[in-house]
Amino acid sequence: MTGIKTGTLDWTGDNPFIYLKTDPDQEWSSLSLYFRIASSAHGSGQAILVLDNPYEEGTGEENRLLITNNKPLADYLVRDFVRYFGLFRKAVALDKLKVIDDGVFQTENRFPEIVVESVESPSAGVKIEMEWHQMTQPAICVDLPQSETQTQKHEMMCVFHPAQRARVLVNGVPLAGNTIERDFNGSRAQSASLANSETWVRVA
């Protein structure tokens, strides 16, 4: 029957993103991801990844944080997925991550006006907030074959809800830059989007 597949589930959940630029004609100034994993070989859990100046070695003052409540899961997602995502492949900042595993997560969801995913680490004294505003653009639903996914090992299904604007705050201070409009899965959208029911399957 058309539309039915079988395979091995690597993970399913939500994986929204916010990518910012301080200059539309230059490299990305920050790349940020949120993961809320419902099922995987490493269980369920959440993580927020923030990379300031992702393509530079840096001075040590940049925000290069991975905060989670399931470290084996977060390590797996970075190692086997994030490093294969297009914008992250040359991100040397991934080698300088500060990993914090006592994250306490909260969600504020008033879709389509605003969605906020935040995490706070009691031990590190760090709070990160990711905000998506005005998800008024039609949803973009994708079902990508293995040949078109970032890993080239999976098929991927997802529902994207692009935001009209977005920001990331670390301890209340917004990261520099803005989203930009770009080509995105056959459409045009800002470089920030919810990504719901994202599912990565190794198809038999």
Side-chain angles (χ1 to χ4, degrees), residues 105-159:
F105 290 82
Q106 289 188 321
T107 298
E108 176 189 348
N109 191 326
R110 291 186 278 120
F111 180 89
E113 287 80 21
I114 182 173
V115 174
V116 181
E117 300 291 355
S118 63
V119 64
E120 191 162 4
S121 165
S123 65
V126 177
K127 182 177 183 179
I128 299 173
E129 300 161 275
M130 299 179 67
E131 300 180 356
W132 294 263
H133 296 261
Q134 299 173 351
M135 278 65 69
T136 53
Q137 184 172 338
I140 301 171
C141 306
V142 303
D143 180 359
L144 299 179
Q146 177 177 324
S147 62
E148 295 181 19
T149 64
Q150 305 279 356
T151 66
Q152 298 280 291
K153 300 175 183 176
H154 304 81
E155 295 199 359
M156 190 274 279
M157 294 135 276
C158 189
V159 179

Side-chain angles (χ1 to χ4, degrees), residues 17 19 28 87 180-184 187-192:
F17 58 87
Y19 304 149
W28 299 96
L87 296 182
I180 65 163
E181 187 177 286
R182 60 176 186 156
D183 293 330
F184 183 66
S187 184
R188 295 284 293 176
Q190 293 294 314
S191 56

Side-chain angles (χ1 to χ4, degrees), residues 47-167:
I48 284 182
L49 171 68
V50 172
L51 294 181
D52 251 345
N53 298 323
Y55 308 125
E56 299 177 10
E57 290 293 337
T59 64
E61 300 299 316
E62 295 84 0
N63 292 301
R64 290 162 174 190
L65 300 168
L66 176 63
I67 305 181
T68 185
N69 54 16
N70 181 338
K71 186 175 182 297
L73 172 62
D75 289 342
Y76 162 70
L77 292 170
V78 171
R79 181 185 67 245
D80 289 8
F81 289 89
V82 175
R83 286 185 178 274
Y84 290 91
F85 293 170
L87 296 182
F88 290 82
R89 289 176 186 168
K90 61 178 184 178
V92 295
L94 282 174
D95 297 324
K96 300 178 181 295
L97 277 180
K98 179 179 182 181
V99 182
I100 302 167
D101 62 4
D102 65 346
V104 179
F105 290 82
Q106 289 188 321
T107 298
E108 176 189 348
N109 191 326
R110 291 186 278 120
F111 180 89
E113 287 80 21
I114 182 173
V115 174
V116 181
E117 300 291 355
S118 63
V119 64
E120 191 162 4
S121 165
S123 65
V126 177
K127 182 177 183 179
I128 299 173
E129 300 161 275
M130 299 179 67
E131 300 180 356
W132 294 263
H133 296 261
Q134 299 173 351
M135 278 65 69
T136 53
Q137 184 172 338
I140 301 171
C141 306
V142 303
D143 180 359
L144 299 179
Q146 177 177 324
S147 62
E148 295 181 19
T149 64
Q150 305 279 356
T151 66
Q152 298 280 291
K153 300 175 183 176
H154 304 81
E155 295 199 359
M156 190 274 279
M157 294 135 276
C158 189
V159 179
F160 293 100
H161 295 279
Q164 298 307 302
R165 60 185 182 89
R167 63 177 187 163

